[in-house]
């Protein structure tokens, strides 16, 4: 009697193990996709940092220029507008 019970239970046990493995693999794949979609790549971050550094250089040059009187207002305005366009 116990032998028959174990014999009938074995297929159900293997089915449960296989289904659990499938579900866990699916969850792992979905987590990897979610993580890769929300995290920017290192190359994109490096490009953004470099663009920000260039903007800071231009702003520092404008702010620390010793001869603002010598510059025309149009040139200064053009430099500021060029920063906005980036």
């Amino acid at each position: 009697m116990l032998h028959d019970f174990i014999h009938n239970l074995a297929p159900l046990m293997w089915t449960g193990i296989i289904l659990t493995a499938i579900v866990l693999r699916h969850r792992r794949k979905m987590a990897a996709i979610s993580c890769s979609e929300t995290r920017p790549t290192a190359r994109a971050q490096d490009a953004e940092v470099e663009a920000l550094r260039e903007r800071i250089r231009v702003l520092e040059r404008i702010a620390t220029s010793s001869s603002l009187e010598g510059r025309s207002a149009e040139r200064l305005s053009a430099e500021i507008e060029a920063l906005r366009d980036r």
Side-chain angles (χ1 to χ4, degrees):
M1 179 152 161
L2 182 62
H3 184 268
D4 291 335
F5 178 73
I6 293 174
H7 183 69
N8 291 332
L9 187 63
L12 291 176
M13 185 177 66
W14 284 111
T15 303
I17 291 171
I18 292 170
L19 286 176
T20 302
I22 291 171
V23 169
L24 290 176
R25 185 175 11 179
H26 175 72
R27 286 185 181 175
R28 194 177 322 127
K29 285 182 182 179
M30 294 306 292
I33 290 171
S34 175
C35 183
S36 67
E37 288 176 352
T38 58
R39 182 179 36 149
T41 63
R43 186 179 300 166
Q45 286 177 341
D46 290 344
E48 184 179 2
V49 167
E50 187 56 38
L52 290 172
R53 285 181 179 160
E54 179 61 29
R55 289 182 70 152
I56 289 172
R57 281 188 215 108
V58 173
L59 287 171
E60 286 174 342
R61 184 170 41 86
I62 292 170
T64 59
S65 177
S66 61
S67 62
L68 280 179
E69 299 83 27
R71 289 187 181 189
S72 66
E74 294 85 21
R75 182 175 174 188
L76 184 60
S77 177
E79 287 187 36
I80 293 172
E81 286 302 318
L83 284 175
R84 287 187 184 149
D85 293 338
R86 289 186 186 178

